[in-house]
Amino acid sequence: MPIPAPEYTEACEDRDFAEWHRGCPWCAVWLIRVEHAEVAAQMAQARARLQPWLLPRYARQPHVTLAYRGLLAAAEGWHAAAEFGPAQLRADIAALQSVQMQPFTLQLQGVGSFSTVPYLAVVPNAQLQVAHDALLAHAPYPGWHYVPHVTLGHYARRLPMHEALEQLECSVPAAWHWQTPVTQLWLARYHTHDIAGPLRFEGYFDVRTQTYHAQPDACLGPAALNPA
């Protein structure tokens, strides 16, 4: 059963949420990258239509989140507030290997909105749910329902949700859809002090070979995967 849309949007603040990160500089998330010119064009079109109601900037590269993983240990060492480090990464890799995922097709079609962000919708896909469930063995809270999507930005003001949805539906043609093969699941990080800042990529899990490959500048590099 679809989750009903909230009655109103919620205004987000573009500030440093220090009470959340307590000085930990990074946060980790598993995702699928959808950095393609056609997706970027639809995002720009929708943002332009919603511009009066959105925070001015959103620098995150287009992506579909698979699982939020929490505050990330920095390259310099463990932070007291960190929740995700070498042990958690090794556990995630093992969890993904255990479900033996295969390459699949991701399709974007339609629009939607949470109370805080509007989005391009993702057509339901069993493999997305498998990956999400593998990475989050237990729901974050009672009633949690995974809704894969591509975030368009953050609302800057409160307004009736039906108004936001009307503008969204006008900005993205009903017939528009886009799809791509998925062979890599990416672990990314973002600066905790910047709610709209760009993603940095830690590495990817290759679903064809069932192996993880760290990026050269990863906080959790090869040494984290192969402890002495």
Side-chain angles (χ1 to χ4, degrees), residues 186 202-206 209 211-215 225:
W186 283 84
E202 283 280 302
Y204 65 89
F205 180 81
D206 191 322
T209 62
T211 55
Y212 180 80
H213 304 270
Q215 295 292 88
L225 300 176

Side-chain angles (χ1 to χ4, degrees), residues 30-105:
W30 282 96
L31 54 81
I32 296 169
R33 297 171 72 168
V34 291
E35 297 165 79
H36 188 276
E38 187 175 345
V39 177
Q42 285 298 329
M43 289 182 67
Q45 187 169 303
R47 279 187 57 82
R49 190 89 183 206
L50 295 173
Q51 186 273 330
W53 303 325
L54 297 180
L55 291 178
R57 65 189 185 92
Y58 185 73
R60 298 265 159 90
Q61 300 91 319
H63 66 279
V64 176
T65 296
L66 289 170
Y68 169 80
R69 301 309 284 131
L71 298 173
L72 173 68
E76 309 82 58
W78 191 259
H79 188 282
E83 303 160 317
F84 189 85
Q88 289 76 23
L89 175 55
R90 292 194 296 270
D92 281 357
I93 294 168
L96 290 171
Q97 291 170 335
S98 72
V99 295
Q100 289 293 298
M101 291 185 64
Q102 299 297 313
F104 63 96
T105 298

